[in-house]
Amino acid sequence: MAAANGGDSKGFEVPKLEIKFTKLFINGRFVDAVSGKTFETRDPRTGEVIAKIAEGDKADIDLAVKAAREAFDHGPWPRMSGFARGRILHKFADLVEQHVEELAALDTVDAGKLFAMGKLVDIPGGANLLRYYAGAADKVHGETLKMARPCHGYTLKEPVGVVGHIVPWNYPTTMFFFKASPALAAGCTMVVKPAEQTPLSALFYAHLAKLAGVPDGVLNVVPGFGPTAGAAISSHMDIDKVSFTGSTEVGRLVMEAAAKSNLKPVSLELGGKSPVIVFDDADLDTAVNLVHMASYTNKGEICVAGSRIYVQEGIYDAFVKKATEMAKKSVVGDPFNPRVHQGPQIDKEQYEKILKYIDIGKREGATLVTGGKPCGENGYYIEPTIFTDVKEEMSIAQEEIFGPVMALMKFKTVEEAIQKANSTRYGLAAGIVTKNIDVANTVSRSIRAGAIWINCYFGFDPDVPFGGYKMSGFGKDMGMDALEKYLHTKAVVTPLYNTPWL
């Protein structure tokens, strides 16, 4: 295993970073929490405190919702043309692009994400989502209906109102824009609760939104904890919709609270245990590289991580050998180091959870081929880990670990692969590696998951809707499907008299 510090620490710089925004953003201003409380956000590279953040709770959510309600009921945002909203979203995207380095650095110190990937993918991707929905904002329209009686009927698409967004910690920027971009384009106002582990970039985006011309009260950001601020959003009587990304367990609580309050609709993007199926005809090197990426991207802290790997028996042994060699070459260390492939886990709790699952895997009889240990003197680093001899009933094959742990299993036939891939309560994504188009078509139509990636992985794009089946939730992010979930459809009918045609 490569050194935990990424080898020689010389040759890379950690950018100087000023934490500019630590207060709640409500009604266009940064303010202290009503309680005056703060909480610490920590750097997973070292465990040290980065900053103290204002801690929002129910009282602060009430103020943010009040501002959002006023902005929706009486403000300009839902009343301006889609074209005008789109121009502001383009300005927002421009400002994001102007601050790529600073924003990427915030997500690196807050979440342990690779700095290079933040600059190349995450931050530009957020700007791209804004631009996609900026272009869609003036293309929201209903339909003219052909009624069977002398009436003129048509539908209107109207913004749902005030939205509560609850954002996870693994992709702070991406998830912020997954949710805020289509809701803003639709004309909604909102309260965003970033994860308590990663509030820094969300507060910066609130600042940029104000500079771009988003009116006060439209976008409010309230950092806080799930049982207080998150629960207040889910149960609030004046929030019209909740969009949540996180664990299936918390998703249940969000849905329950929404039902018990004002029966607000919810969209949930929840856990995953995604299979990648590698067939005998696959190019071995390509397959190993793809599976390595699927399992270890973002240190395995990704809902669609390819954590169940099914390899057909003809190439299984060769695959295990090459996958192990690649995992051993992976460099774990400081995410600011451009030589590093894998940074630290988000925090001590997640770090200990992953190590516990690794221990469970060994105790349940799986074979630890490589990795499985902490590395480094400071911070929350774990070696890329591979298990073989994994059985379907094992915890490491059924439960979402959210860490750099690959479970390798063997199969014989296409039918067996499909059965094994579907033997999970989750249904978020799946990968297929084969040169046979007939096999690819059969398997992609047989797996019960919301995203199927053939001879690729992480096939995300602003135009491609993303969301799960089964206990991975419901509702889509990205694509025009995401815009639709922030719109109501209203039917309007008026009688026709003396009309020459119907």
Side-chain angles (χ1 to χ4, degrees):
M1 179 59 54
N5 66 0
D8 186 355
S9 62
K10 296 178 181 179
F12 77 96
E13 279 188 31
V14 176
K16 293 180 181 179
L17 188 60
E18 177 189 357
I19 307 302
K20 298 175 181 175
F21 308 107
T22 60
K23 297 183 178 184
L24 316 180
F25 187 79
I26 297 175
N27 204 23
R29 297 189 303 119
F30 284 101
V31 297
D32 291 319
V34 171
S35 67
K37 290 182 180 179
T38 61
F39 66 94
E40 297 173 342
T41 185
R42 292 179 176 268
D43 184 343
R45 299 176 303 154
T46 61
E48 295 176 356
V49 175
I50 306 166
K52 292 187 176 181
I53 308 297
E55 181 183 333
D57 57 23
K58 183 180 183 302
D60 305 288
I61 294 296
D62 286 343
L63 291 174
V65 172
K66 182 179 179 182
R69 174 56 61 193
E70 178 68 19
F72 185 79
D73 288 348
H74 304 292
W77 190 250
R79 290 161 187 81
M80 68 174 64
S81 69
F83 176 77
R85 283 199 300 273
R87 291 189 66 177
I88 292 173
L89 294 183
H90 275 299
K91 290 179 185 177
F92 193 178
D94 290 341
L95 290 168
V96 171
E97 290 172 342
Q98 289 168 23
H99 293 83
V100 165
E101 290 260 344
E102 187 171 6
L103 289 162
L106 287 176
D107 280 353
T108 296
V109 297
D110 223 9
K113 298 176 69 65
L114 296 181
F115 184 49
M117 288 297 289
K119 292 190 294 181
L120 184 67
V121 178
D122 289 29
I123 312 305
N128 289 343
L129 280 165
L130 280 170
R131 295 199 190 283
Y132 178 88
Y133 289 107
D138 61 354
K139 298 167 185 67
V140 175
H141 53 78
E143 296 178 313
T144 301
L145 308 175
K146 196 70 173 177
M147 298 185 64
R149 43 190 282 206
C151 293
H152 174 57
Y154 59 94
T155 59
L156 297 172
K157 295 288 188 178
E158 300 181 345
V160 297
V162 177
V163 180
H165 296 299
I166 303 176
V167 180
W169 45 257
N170 60 326
Y171 277 82
T173 289
T174 303
M175 293 296 149
F176 183 95
F177 289 111
F178 264 22
K179 298 183 183 305
S181 302
L184 287 169
C188 296
T189 61
M190 65 209 65
V191 179
V192 180
K193 191 202 87 65
E196 62 268 23
Q197 296 91 339
T198 54
L200 297 179
S201 58
L203 293 170
F204 203 113
Y205 291 127
H207 164 68
L208 296 182
K210 169 117 177 167
L211 293 181
V214 175
D216 292 349
V218 171
L219 175 62
N220 305 275
V221 177
V222 182
F225 293 86
T228 51
I233 288 173
S234 303
S235 61
H236 206 288
M237 293 296 292
D238 215 16
I239 288 180
D240 300 302
K241 179 182 175 60
V242 172
S243 175
F244 170 80
T245 296
S247 70
T248 298
E249 292 72 24
V250 177
R252 287 181 187 274
L253 298 176
V254 170
M255 193 170 179
E256 181 182 6
K260 286 183 175 179
S261 54
N262 59 345
L263 213 62
K264 64 179 73 64
V266 300
S267 55
L268 305 174
E269 194 261 277
L270 307 176
K273 195 68 179 173
S274 300
V276 182
I277 305 171
V278 181
F279 288 91
D280 280 346
D281 65 341
D283 178 83
L284 186 60
D285 289 333
T286 299
V288 168
N289 278 297
L290 190 149
V291 166
H292 183 91
M293 176 184 70
S295 297
Y296 301 129
T297 289
N298 203 49
K299 35 338 191 300
E301 293 175 345
I302 180 167
C303 52
V304 293
S307 52
R308 294 187 296 141
I309 311 301
Y310 298 99
V311 182
Q312 202 162 14
E313 58 184 2
I315 61 168
Y316 179 83
D317 291 339
F319 184 97
V320 172
K321 182 175 184 292
K322 281 185 173 285
T324 302
E325 290 170 355
M326 178 167 281
K328 287 180 176 179
K329 291 177 183 177
S330 189
V331 181
V332 182
D334 192 315
F336 281 108
N337 186 340
R339 292 184 58 247
V340 161
H341 304 123
Q342 180 183 310
Q345 311 307 138
I346 183 70
D347 59 14
K348 185 178 181 181
E349 181 181 354
Q350 183 64 19
Y351 168 82
E352 291 176 346
K353 174 188 170 186
I354 296 164
L355 292 175
K356 180 181 177 182
Y357 269 112
I358 291 170
D359 185 58
I360 289 170
K362 291 187 285 187
R363 285 194 281 111
E364 289 187 343
T367 301
L368 179 64
V369 177
T370 188
K373 299 188 297 294
C375 52
E377 297 177 2
N378 300 307
Y380 309 121
Y381 298 92
I382 297 175
E383 295 174 344
T385 300
I386 296 177
F387 280 103
T388 58
D389 303 314
V390 179
K391 308 299 182 187
E392 294 297 327
E393 65 274 11
M394 290 181 178
S395 297
I396 59 171
Q398 288 297 319
E399 298 175 20
E400 185 176 42
I401 299 172
F402 228 61
V405 180
M406 181 193 300
L408 274 169
M409 291 163 275
K410 189 188 300 185
F411 73 92
K412 291 183 179 181
T413 66
V414 172
E415 293 73 23
E416 182 188 359
I418 292 168
Q419 185 274 323
K420 287 178 177 291
N422 283 328
S423 62
T424 173
R425 65 183 181 271
Y426 296 115
L428 200 52
I432 303 166
V433 191
T434 180
K435 295 176 183 175
N436 188 321
I437 188 63
D438 295 328
V439 169
N441 284 334
T442 297
V443 176
S444 62
R445 285 160 170 75
S446 301
I447 294 177
R448 297 192 64 214
I452 307 294
W453 297 315
I454 300 171
N455 295 326
C456 63
Y457 210 77
F458 302 127
F460 294 114
D461 186 87
D463 199 43
V464 179
F466 171 70
Y469 286 19
K470 300 190 283 188
M471 289 178 69
S472 289
F474 48 84
K476 298 295 185 182
D477 290 316
M478 296 196 292
M480 296 302 286
D481 292 58
L483 187 64
E484 284 290 328
K485 75 182 183 184
Y486 298 110
L487 296 166
H488 279 313
T489 299
K490 176 184 284 183
V492 181
V493 176
T494 181
L496 292 171
Y497 301 102
N498 302 318
T499 179
W501 49 270
L502 293 179

